[in-house]
Amino acid sequence: MKWSLLVVTMLLSANVWAHGPTPQKTDESIQVHATAEAIWQRISAPCALAQWHPQVAACEAINDKQQKITLKNGKQLLQEIDEVSAAEMTVAYRLSGEIDLEALPVSSLNGKIKVSADGSNAKVVWTARYYRAFTGNEPPAGQDDESAKTAVDSFVKDGLQGLKDGRQNAAANQSGWRKKVCASLRPLFKRIGSTLCA
């Protein structure tokens, strides 16, 4: 009897300690001093993230569903757009391919950005569900639950703040050819009183 009790105790202990990653979540919201429709236009445009997210340097649309996002640190993420619902003002997405752990230390991530009217303002809710980078037991530093949550929380909060601040990413707004044309024509536009290329 003692032996069987000992074996059961050991098995239960092993089950307690031998488990993989647990699902993590980030739920953040912010009020933006603009109409819901205006914010929806900013969020739903193809590769829109590069326009208003302070951690994003560029975005390249690979096709109508896939986007390659380049972060300010030079690392890249491949994002799949699962749904864009104008009726619900919602964009649902997920990370795909092999995720660069220096971009986000997660093994998978599904997210949703939703806009709704809040009086004359807009309310933006960003949710993400994800797993840490290391999917086995005893994750190394930087690939644990805490690292994943810290990185995703930061990404989501910075993005929401970028929307609230009305951030316009100049690098994303101006392609190389536009910069060159503006540089050569700026004096002319200035003389005629135009703010084009200002």
Side-chain angles (χ1 to χ4, degrees):
M1 182 70 173
K2 287 181 181 179
W3 281 108
S4 60
L5 187 58
L6 180 63
V7 169
V8 168
T9 302
M10 289 173 63
L11 286 172
L12 287 175
S13 297
N15 285 335
V16 167
W17 294 108
H19 64 81
T22 55
Q24 301 297 308
K25 62 181 181 178
T26 293
D27 291 300
E28 296 290 336
S29 65
I30 203 164
Q31 187 185 64
V32 182
H33 300 298
T35 66
E37 290 75 17
I39 296 302
W40 170 245
Q41 292 303 316
R42 293 202 72 197
I43 287 173
S44 61
C47 262
L49 209 61
Q51 299 293 327
W52 48 264
H53 201 300
Q55 291 188 28
V56 176
C59 178
E60 176 192 351
I62 297 173
N63 53 48
D64 62 340
K65 292 290 184 185
Q66 286 188 322
Q67 301 171 351
K68 186 188 293 181
I69 297 167
T70 303
L71 303 179
K72 289 284 178 71
N73 66 4
K75 303 304 176 181
Q76 293 183 327
L77 294 167
L78 186 62
Q79 180 172 277
E80 296 261 358
I81 303 300
D82 290 325
E83 181 185 20
V84 178
S85 171
E88 296 182 5
M89 286 195 275
T90 301
V91 175
Y93 69 95
R94 61 191 155 87
L95 297 183
S96 63
E98 189 172 330
I99 299 171
D100 189 329
L101 302 186
E102 290 183 49
L104 276 180
V106 298
S107 56
S108 65
L109 183 145
N110 288 277
K112 184 181 286 187
I113 305 174
K114 180 171 178 56
V115 183
S116 59
D118 186 8
S120 59
N121 298 315
K123 181 181 180 182
V124 184
V125 177
W126 192 335
T127 60
R129 301 292 180 264
Y130 48 94
Y131 285 91
R132 70 184 184 218
F134 188 80
T135 57
N137 298 324
E138 300 180 21
Q143 297 184 36
D144 53 4
D145 290 338
E146 186 179 349
S147 297
K149 183 155 180 56
T150 298
V152 176
D153 282 358
S154 170
F155 190 81
V156 169
K157 288 177 181 178
D158 283 0
L160 290 174
Q161 192 62 47
L163 280 171
K164 182 171 184 172
D165 295 343
R167 183 177 183 280
Q168 293 285 343
N169 186 340
N173 286 337
Q174 294 190 1
S175 59
W177 68 267
R178 189 173 189 275
K179 287 180 184 177
K180 289 176 185 174
V181 169
C182 279
S184 60
L185 295 179
R186 191 172 285 117
L188 173 63
F189 289 138
K190 192 173 182 180
R191 274 200 305 270
I192 64 174
S194 172
T195 58
L196 196 62
C197 288

